[in-house]
Amino acid sequence: MKGLKRQLIAVMIMLMLCLYVIFQFGINQARNEISVDKVVEAFKQRDPINFWRTIAGKKSLNGLKVHHVINILEKQKAEFGLNEQTSFDAVTGVLYFRQGFLDAAERKLRHVVSTSRSESELRQSLAILAEIYQTRRNSAELEKVRVRLETIDPRFRLHYMDLSQPRNSDLPERGFFKLYLLLVWLVLLSFPTILIEFERRNWLKRFAQNKDLRGPFLAFNRSNFAGFLIVLSAILFLLLKFPGNIGLSGKNAFLALHIALSWLLCQLPFYSLAKKVKPEFSLGFSDFVIAKFRTILFLSGNLIALAVSVSIVHFMVINLPFWALKRPFSAVLSLPSIFTLLLVIIHFSIPYFMLAKKLKPGQLSFSQRVFTVKKALRVSWLEYGAFSFLNTTLLTGNILEKLDQKELDLILKRSSQKLKDGSGFEEFLLLFNLILISAIYFAFDPLRIVRFFSLGPTFAEAATFLLFVILGGYVLSVRQRSAELEADDFIARQGGSEELIDIYSKLNKTNFLPEKYREGDAGIFAPVSLNERKENIRAGAGEYFYHFSQPEGQLLISLWRSRLAIEWKLGIEEAVFITSLDYQVNEESPEDELRAMAEKHAVLGSESVYYTENRVLEVIYCAQKACAFLTEETLPHAKICRVCSKAMLKSLHRADYHWTGTEKGCRLKIKKSED
């Protein structure tokens, strides 16, 4: 783990050096290609539209070259007179316009047309203002520009579209159209919920007779179908140009409202299914939605920090158009820097936003921040910590009542060790390095920052971004699984393996989770299944054998009733012989015999560990013994174990074995290992 942190830090340093080299190379190249005299000469021509072409020829705008040119003009600005100041505004106004910053371009060019004494400069500025007003469909200002241009040159004629008619003049009834759009919006809002409800009903028909619904229930809840439908609904919302077509502004705000309402409605089928099939479910719908939102909020701190960082940089680029060109290095580093600051703020404050209660050290011992949330989707615990002072464990549900003090101390000890190992810091470093890679892309040309954060990504940029998201998500998922298993290993090495397994088993049953996830079922909330945890914890001491398809309890009960009936009618020897047929193994060595016996027990739904060092097979959990408790009249455990033990010893014929019973299973040991 420490090696991985060192590697990520080394990558970060290398990326920072690459950024510095790129900037130095680009700026030096710009200085060699564009001299101060060339810029001043082009500036004095009072030809703002062709200013860049005069300097760089037919080459397109390049951010580092623009940065160099602006720096030259800024240094010359102190020596400018009134006319030169106006020309400077004309040049910058044209550059603003070419980058799509219409507001900033309009402010600069309006100043130019009111103060410029150059006819060509004035004409060009008015022509660009005309394009701006035509884009905005501002007919009044466009008419003023036309009159001004024709005054300067009577032969000039401005060709522009007729803006006198409203956009929807072809619609016969505007009020009816608004009502129609509102109905369409309601359909878009509700169709994800309707389709999920159909899925829920089909699910109930399909699994109505299945007694173990945990796996299918988990798969239904973790399906991406609802998310896909909500995204599809949002895309249709944008294509139909809501809310502009009904005369309202604030497209982004209404889009966020649409997505939030769609998500809220989609929770109705999920809540209905949980209430029907999940034992111990006691949350109301409002508590269910709040608990789900809390879980998303807690687990999405990194994504929230990244999204807010992008929004802040977007706001800065829109309102400070030349910031990325005047200060390219700081602009490139702005996203990783703001992301780091926001991550610290969000991780510190998330528990308080969730209205979680802070647990004070008392009877329990812990070194990290610990919060409790009573109303939650699961009885469990979560942890995060990008930095040591942010290390936090969240206890969810009624876990304080489900576990005793010793068990709570054990899981807090495990959580503390996981946070100390720095898995959260490694996740932060990984995300930080991915953002730095994107910064290197922007460093080659700072104008990309302007285009990306003002006009949005191109198709290639969006596809690359999606690829990085998928890759980063996969790497983070693998790292989270590794961190979970390493934390379990730490507790197992401290001698708490069986206690930890008991805790996981208890919470797994309480949370209605399957013991083994199907492919694709494991998620960020529970990246490791109960079966994997057991195998990992017990693998350090020996070989773990687990049942892959547990038989029905009634089948095992019927099996033992028939065996006991044989003993009562024909005698124990006949019952032992019949039972030994189920355990029959044919291996060459005693060790292989015990392994084969473990596999036989796995078929019958039991869990076993073969301790290679002591040559001992321990049936940790005997499904046959456990099922004997399920009968209306409890089957005689002494008789069951007597028949079963003699049957195992009868089938194992290559060495002397010693059998002893345990509370939940039994133990087979080669006698020679005791000597």
Side-chain angles (χ1 to χ4, degrees):
M1 185 174 289
K2 291 181 179 179
L4 179 58
K5 279 191 282 190
R6 285 196 294 267
Q7 292 170 9
L8 290 172
I9 291 173
V11 170
M12 183 180 68
I13 294 172
M14 291 298 296
L15 290 175
M16 294 290 287
L17 290 174
C18 286
L19 277 173
Y20 179 76
V21 170
I22 289 169
F23 271 108
Q24 288 300 315
F25 176 78
I27 291 172
N28 289 333
Q29 188 180 30
R31 288 170 181 167
N32 294 331
E33 293 183 9
I34 302 175
S35 65
V36 176
D37 294 337
K38 194 173 185 180
V39 173
V40 173
E41 182 182 351
F43 178 76
K44 289 180 179 180
Q45 293 180 12
R46 304 292 188 267
D47 188 6
I49 290 180
N50 297 310
F51 172 76
W52 181 259
R53 183 178 296 176
T54 303
I55 296 174
K58 295 183 179 180
K59 294 181 180 178
S60 60
L61 287 173
N62 176 275
L64 292 175
K65 292 179 181 178
V66 174
H67 163 72
H68 175 58
V69 171
I70 290 174
N71 281 345
I72 293 174
L73 293 177
E74 290 281 0
K75 291 177 181 178
Q76 298 291 324
K77 193 175 181 181
E79 304 175 5
F80 288 167
L82 180 60
N83 290 337
E84 287 80 5
Q85 290 280 358
T86 302
S87 298
F88 179 77
D89 287 343
V91 169
T92 54
V94 171
L95 287 175
Y96 281 151
F97 174 74
R98 287 183 174 176
Q99 297 310 308
F101 298 108
L102 302 186
D103 290 335
E106 182 186 358
R107 287 194 299 269
K108 291 286 185 181
L109 295 174
R110 284 176 71 93
H111 178 258
V112 172
V113 298
S114 64
T115 59
S116 177
R117 297 180 182 179
S118 169
E119 183 176 325
S120 63
E121 193 174 74
L122 182 60
R123 185 187 298 110
Q124 291 179 21
S125 299
L126 285 169
I128 293 179
L129 277 174
E131 291 191 42
I132 293 173
Y133 293 138
Q134 186 163 300
T135 301
R136 292 177 168 176
R137 305 182 66 84
N138 190 335
S139 57
E141 293 295 333
L142 185 60
E143 179 63 19
K144 292 178 183 179
V145 170
R146 184 188 67 80
V147 172
R148 185 80 179 273
L149 280 169
E150 291 182 357
T151 301
I152 297 172
D153 184 359
R155 296 172 298 175
F156 183 84
R157 291 293 181 269
L158 179 65
H159 299 283
Y160 59 93
M161 66 181 69
D162 183 10
L163 304 178
S164 60
Q165 298 296 324
R167 293 186 182 183
N168 294 310
S169 59
D170 56 324
L171 295 174
E173 195 67 45
R174 184 68 176 167
F176 175 78
F177 180 67
K178 287 184 178 181
L179 179 61
Y180 172 76
L181 285 179
L182 285 174
L183 291 175
V184 172
W185 178 59
L186 290 176
V187 172
L188 287 179
L189 199 64
S190 57
F191 94 83
T193 305
I194 295 171
L195 292 180
I196 294 297
E197 175 62 19
F198 277 122
E199 285 292 306
R200 184 189 73 87
R201 295 182 180 225
N202 291 333
W203 188 94
L204 287 173
K205 290 179 182 178
R206 181 180 178 186
F207 297 103
Q209 303 302 320
N210 194 332
K211 293 184 179 180
D212 189 2
L213 299 175
R214 293 177 296 174
F217 179 73
L218 181 72
F220 182 88
N221 278 279
R222 288 188 175 160
S223 170
N224 296 321
F225 187 52
F228 169 77
L229 291 176
I230 292 172
V231 171
L232 178 62
S233 174
I235 292 173
L236 294 175
F237 179 89
L238 291 174
L239 291 176
L240 292 175
K241 297 181 180 179
F242 288 101
N245 279 330
I246 58 176
L248 297 174
S249 58
K251 180 180 69 174
N252 293 335
F254 274 91
L255 177 62
L257 176 65
H258 175 84
I259 293 174
L261 290 176
S262 296
W263 179 83
L264 180 63
L265 290 174
C266 277
Q267 302 315 305
L268 287 168
F270 290 106
Y271 172 75
S272 177
L273 186 63
K275 193 174 181 180
K276 187 174 183 64
V277 304
K278 187 177 178 182
E280 300 185 23
F281 185 82
S282 59
L283 295 178
F285 179 69
S286 60
D287 291 332
F288 175 80
V289 172
I290 292 172
K292 207 164 192 179
F293 178 74
R294 281 173 171 172
T295 303
I296 295 172
L297 182 66
F298 188 88
L299 296 173
S300 305
N302 293 333
L303 292 178
I304 293 171
L306 182 58
V308 176
S309 302
V310 171
S311 300
I312 291 174
V313 177
H314 168 75
F315 178 82
M316 294 174 69
V317 168
I318 292 295
N319 292 278
L320 301 170
F322 267 18
W323 162 62
L325 301 177
K326 291 181 178 179
R327 304 286 184 270
F329 194 77
S330 65
V332 167
L333 289 179
S334 61
L335 188 60
S337 303
I338 295 173
F339 167 74
T340 303
L341 178 61
L342 284 176
L343 187 66
V344 172
I345 295 172
I346 290 172
H347 276 190
F348 177 79
S349 56
I350 272 182
Y352 301 102
F353 279 114
M354 295 173 64
L355 301 179
K357 182 180 178 182
K358 191 171 185 178
L359 196 65
K360 297 180 180 179
Q363 292 181 330
L364 301 176
S365 59
F366 50 86
S367 58
Q368 70 275 29
R369 300 193 307 165
V370 179
F371 291 84
T372 60
V373 174
K374 184 74 173 177
K375 294 180 179 178
L377 294 177
R378 291 184 185 166
V379 181
S380 185
W381 71 90
L382 300 166
E383 56 266 299
Y384 69 79
F387 303 97
S388 58
F389 64 91
L390 292 174
N391 286 348
T392 303
T393 301
L394 182 70
L395 304 175
T396 62
N398 60 340
I399 192 170
L400 295 177
E401 290 79 25
K402 286 287 183 180
L403 303 181
D404 58 33
Q405 182 176 335
K406 184 179 178 182
E407 291 172 328
L408 288 170
D409 279 329
L410 187 64
I411 64 169
L412 288 177
K413 180 181 179 182
R414 175 201 174 279
S415 182
S416 176
Q417 179 61 31
K418 178 184 174 183
L419 293 168
K420 286 179 181 177
D421 283 346
S423 59
F425 182 61
E426 290 172 9
E427 292 176 13
F428 160 74
L429 282 176
L430 178 63
L431 288 171
F432 191 83
N433 284 323
L434 288 176
I435 296 173
L436 275 179
I437 291 174
S438 66
I440 287 180
Y441 168 73
F442 291 131
F444 283 101
D445 185 356
L447 276 175
R448 292 174 181 171
I449 303 175
V450 178
R451 298 188 187 103
F452 185 91
F453 289 103
S454 60
L455 305 176
T458 63
F459 177 80
E461 289 171 341
T464 304
F465 175 76
L466 181 61
L467 179 64
F468 271 105
V469 169
I470 295 173
L471 176 63
Y474 174 76
V475 175
L476 285 177
S477 176
V478 172
R479 187 67 200 98
Q480 286 166 352
R481 285 178 55 84
S482 176
E484 286 288 318
L485 296 175
E486 288 170 2
D488 289 343
D489 282 339
F490 171 79
I491 297 298
R493 291 194 302 270
Q494 301 295 316
S497 57
E498 293 305 316
E499 291 82 356
L500 188 60
I501 288 173
D502 287 341
I503 293 172
Y504 283 134
S505 300
K506 186 186 299 184
L507 296 182
N508 211 70
K509 184 178 180 181
T510 301
N511 292 317
F512 200 61
L513 293 174
E515 295 182 1
K516 183 178 185 298
Y517 293 154
R518 298 182 300 180
E519 185 177 355
D521 285 353
I524 193 171
F525 191 92
V528 186
S529 68
L530 177 63
N531 180 26
E532 289 173 306
R533 290 190 188 277
K534 289 180 178 179
E535 186 173 357
N536 174 67
I537 292 172
R538 288 169 173 160
E543 300 175 27
Y544 178 58
F545 296 85
Y546 178 78
H547 60 85
F548 292 97
S549 57
Q550 190 172 21
E552 293 288 340
Q554 292 299 325
L555 177 64
L556 294 177
I557 292 171
S558 300
L559 177 67
W560 272 109
R561 278 180 172 160
S562 63
R563 289 172 176 175
L564 292 176
I566 293 173
E567 180 192 357
W568 290 329
K569 292 181 179 180
L570 302 177
I572 187 172
E573 293 302 324
E574 188 68 21
V576 167
F577 172 73
I578 295 297
T579 306
S580 67
L581 297 179
D582 294 331
Y583 294 130
Q584 193 65 43
V585 295
N586 296 296
E587 304 297 336
E588 295 182 358
S589 66
E591 292 81 3
D592 290 337
E593 275 192 332
L594 291 181
R595 290 188 181 94
M597 181 61 67
E599 292 174 355
K600 294 286 186 180
H601 277 284
V603 173
L604 294 172
S606 300
E607 300 174 48
S608 306
V609 176
Y610 173 60
Y611 300 104
T612 54
E613 185 176 349
N614 299 323
R615 296 201 295 177
V616 174
L617 171 64
E618 181 172 355
V619 181
I620 296 173
Y621 169 79
C622 179
Q624 302 175 83
K625 182 181 287 190
C627 285
F629 288 100
L630 300 177
T631 56
E632 296 177 0
E633 295 182 3
T634 304
L635 294 177
H637 296 85
K639 286 183 174 291
I640 289 176
C641 287
R642 183 178 61 168
V643 173
C644 186
S645 61
K646 288 188 175 183
M648 282 192 287
L649 293 173
K650 187 177 183 65
S651 62
L652 298 169
H653 52 276
R654 296 188 181 277
D656 290 332
Y657 297 93
H658 178 68
W659 181 93
T660 54
T662 60
E663 182 180 355
K664 296 182 179 180
C666 61
R667 186 179 293 111
L668 271 173
K669 186 174 184 179
I670 299 177
K671 288 185 178 181
K672 292 180 181 180
S673 64
E674 296 178 337
D675 299 335

